[in-house]
Amino acid sequence: MCSKSCWKRFASFIFTFTLSICIVNFAQTLDFGDKKQEEMNVLPRKESGSGFSACSSNVSNYLVCFACKDGKYTPPEKFQSKRKLNSEKRELNILSKPRANYTSEAEENFVEGKVLLRVVFLANGKVGNITPIKELSLGLTEQAIAAAKKIKFEPAKRSGAPYTVVKQVEYNFTIY
């Protein structure tokens, strides 16, 4: 048997559930006629939570927005500022990439190929850790690392603030 508190919780659940069904049924009975989606202030439903507190009432495949201004929905300022931050993003800009030199041993043995490096471009404008992904013998990997350390670049920026980026850099070694 349930105690009194159990019955109180169950009764409040039933009340909330019934109220939500009534709201949904009311929203479904609203007649929008032949108005376009923009005129109705209707937003497409998102699969995951939309995060907008102004939108409610599930009507078929759309969310009806009751907090729209001038017939156009504008999300709360905290969501607008996030969009603004993403729009002010600038990618890493490599200004100069010095060539890697052949070693005399590699030239004598006709070694050709490419060296692939994982380079950390720091927010302060300097090259950080360099890790070889694909190497070549006879000192060519070391020459590629030495050349990568001399790369000049403008750091990537998000909202005006620089941040660290990891990119792959390739050096090709070909004997003409």
Side-chain angles (χ1 to χ4, degrees):
M1 288 295 204
C2 284
S3 65
K4 287 183 181 181
S5 64
C6 179
W7 282 108
K8 286 180 183 178
R9 281 187 264 158
F10 181 70
S12 66
F13 169 76
I14 293 297
F15 176 74
T16 307
F17 181 72
T18 307
L19 183 62
S20 64
I21 289 175
C22 291
I23 291 171
V24 169
N25 286 337
F26 172 73
Q28 287 178 346
T29 60
L30 294 176
D31 183 27
F32 294 114
D34 293 332
K35 293 182 180 180
K36 293 181 181 177
Q37 185 175 342
E38 297 89 30
E39 294 172 358
M40 298 189 304
N41 302 335
V42 174
L43 299 172
R45 182 194 309 170
K46 294 184 178 182
E47 294 302 319
S48 62
S50 66
F52 300 121
S53 59
C55 295
S56 61
S57 298
N58 185 353
V59 178
S60 68
N61 210 17
Y62 294 95
L63 290 175
V64 179
C65 180
F66 295 109
C68 300
K69 297 177 185 176
D70 303 328
K72 295 180 182 176
Y73 177 75
T74 53
E77 287 183 25
K78 64 180 179 179
F79 295 110
Q80 288 178 347
S81 63
K82 284 185 180 177
R83 288 183 183 160
K84 197 179 217 182
L85 292 178
N86 291 338
S87 66
E88 295 177 9
K89 186 175 179 181
R90 193 183 77 196
E91 296 293 322
L92 173 78
N93 183 20
I94 296 180
L95 302 173
S96 69
K97 178 184 165 191
R99 293 191 68 168
N101 297 323
Y102 251 100
T103 61
S104 56
E105 267 188 333
E107 263 185 313
E108 291 170 4
N109 292 311
F110 302 105
V111 177
E112 291 186 334
K114 67 179 174 182
V115 174
L116 192 59
L117 304 172
R118 181 176 294 124
V119 181
V120 178
F121 295 97
L122 300 173
N124 63 7
K126 297 181 181 178
V127 176
N129 191 23
I130 301 174
T131 309
I133 298 171
K134 184 179 178 192
E135 300 182 37
L136 286 177
S137 60
L138 301 175
L140 294 180
T141 301
E142 290 77 15
Q143 288 294 322
I145 291 172
K149 286 181 181 178
K150 298 175 185 173
I151 293 176
K152 302 288 183 213
F153 66 96
E154 289 179 5
K157 291 187 178 181
R158 189 180 306 130
S159 305
Y163 64 97
T164 301
V165 176
V166 178
K167 293 260 186 199
Q168 290 185 1
V169 177
E170 183 177 288
Y171 283 95
N172 290 312
F173 292 93
T174 308
I175 298 176
Y176 298 103

